Amino acid sequence: MSSTFDQVATIIAETCDIPRDTITPESHAIDDLGIDSLDFLDIAFAIDKAFGIKLPLEKWTQEVNDGKATTEQYFVLKNLCARIDELVAAKSAGA
Amino acid sequence: MHLEYFQLVDRIVDLDLGERTITVEAQVPKQNTIFEGHFPGYPLMPGVLLIEAMAQSSGWLLIALTKFERMPFLASVKEAKMRSFVTPGDLLTINVRVVHEGSGYAVTEAKIRVSGELRSNATITFGVIPFPNPELRGHMEAMATRIGFPQQAVSHD
């Protein structure tokens, strides 16, 4: 988890030019860090590449729009990292 | 190349869904009002139109990969380089490969060559969403036919 967070925080810092020390596991990517949807595409691309996964952004967005999930579930970084770990584990299990 | 209608791709030369690549050709017209202003006495194909040509070429590849279910919209352009001039009458050969297909987005790398010489290249990101309406999809399907889109490549994959 901590390793995942470190990688994700570094990606966000480098992609969005946000000081690394302002990014915490409790940070909300949108509300706290001000990351917009276009910047998040770059972040998703970097995460997809770094972890060998495909973040299901469309599914998440649909769930939020349908009221079935909150943005916190996917965009607070500790939660995002937990999702990444799940996707990596699922990929490893299926490999 | 129909600059007035922003239709820059003339024909699809090769489409390989397995390799996720496309090659297209685009003939820069010998005369166009654009060249009267860009530049007087020294006509050059504007760099933004070269980028657009690479984006449209990428778009056809992404439409093919999504089997005409989705439309790519330009989201960002990175590392766009205009390496040397493109002039009226040049025949562009544009090669594109998909670098990454994400959820709702895709990244391509595109290169423009003239007579084998690299003139421009870019890394381009697209939002890739379901066609917003049937009219646009119908228009793209009609245009695909005009530029020689190999429908069998999609239907048999």
Side-chain angles (χ1 to χ4, degrees):
Chain A
M1 173 65 190
S2 60
S3 172
T4 301
F5 172 74
D6 286 340
Q7 288 186 71
V8 170
T10 299
I11 286 170
I12 290 173
E14 292 177 351
T15 303
C16 300
D17 199 20
I18 295 172
R20 172 64 180 82
D21 57 6
T22 65
I23 303 171
T24 73
E26 306 299 327
S27 299
H28 190 300
I30 302 166
D31 297 341
D32 297 328
L33 302 178
I35 297 169
D36 65 19
S37 58
L38 184 56
D39 282 335
F40 206 84
L41 282 189
D42 286 337
I43 292 168
F45 179 35
I47 289 174
D48 284 0
K49 277 199 304 183
F51 293 93
I53 59 174
K54 184 170 173 175
L55 285 183
L57 293 182
E58 286 189 302
K59 176 172 172 280
W60 292 355
T61 303
Q62 192 63 49
E63 288 178 5
V64 169
N65 290 343
D66 291 345
K68 296 175 181 173
T70 63
T71 58
E72 286 76 11
Q73 287 176 251
Y74 298 125
F75 297 106
V76 168
L77 295 193
K78 65 180 180 183
N79 298 334
L80 175 63
C81 291
R83 304 292 179 190
I84 292 170
D85 289 339
E86 289 170 5
L87 290 164
V88 171
K91 186 184 177 190
S92 299
Chain B
M1 188 177 283
H2 301 282
L3 290 173
E4 291 79 1
Y5 292 93
F6 236 58
Q7 294 171 4
L8 304 185
V9 172
D10 288 322
R11 70 192 71 85
I12 294 174
V13 176
D14 184 63
L15 173 65
D16 188 329
L17 296 182
E19 294 295 321
R20 300 193 300 181
T21 59
I22 195 171
T23 300
V24 312
E25 287 182 341
Q27 178 70 57
V28 179
K30 291 184 177 177
Q31 291 189 326
N32 190 276
T33 53
I34 286 173
F35 300 130
E36 294 174 19
H38 192 280
F39 296 97
Y42 196 70
L44 297 176
M45 182 72 166
V48 290
L49 291 179
L50 296 178
I51 292 171
E52 177 65 21
M54 290 188 279
Q56 291 188 12
S57 304
S58 300
W60 286 115
L61 175 55
L62 295 172
I63 286 173
L65 287 168
T66 60
K67 302 186 187 305
F68 278 82
E69 293 295 329
R70 287 172 170 250
M71 178 73 182
F73 290 95
L74 184 60
S76 71
V77 180
K78 292 178 181 168
E79 301 295 330
K81 295 182 179 177
M82 311 304 132
R83 296 176 180 274
S84 59
F85 296 146
V86 172
T87 55
D90 279 346
L91 176 63
L92 311 183
T93 300
I94 306 172
N95 301 105
V96 180
R97 74 180 184 95
V98 171
V99 176
H100 182 68
E101 283 181 275
S103 171
Y105 75 98
V107 182
T108 68
E109 285 181 354
K111 297 177 180 177
I112 295 179
R113 291 185 174 86
V114 176
S115 300
E117 179 190 322
L118 184 63
R119 298 290 176 91
S120 182
N121 63 286
T123 301
I124 309 174
T125 301
F126 299 83
V128 185
I129 65 172
F131 272 98
N133 60 49
E135 288 83 359
L136 177 58
R137 179 172 175 161
H139 172 76
M140 297 307 291
E141 287 175 339
M143 195 187 305
T145 299
R146 285 204 300 275
I147 64 172
F149 187 95
Q151 296 288 351
Q152 71 279 8
V154 174
S155 58
H156 290 172
D157 185 51

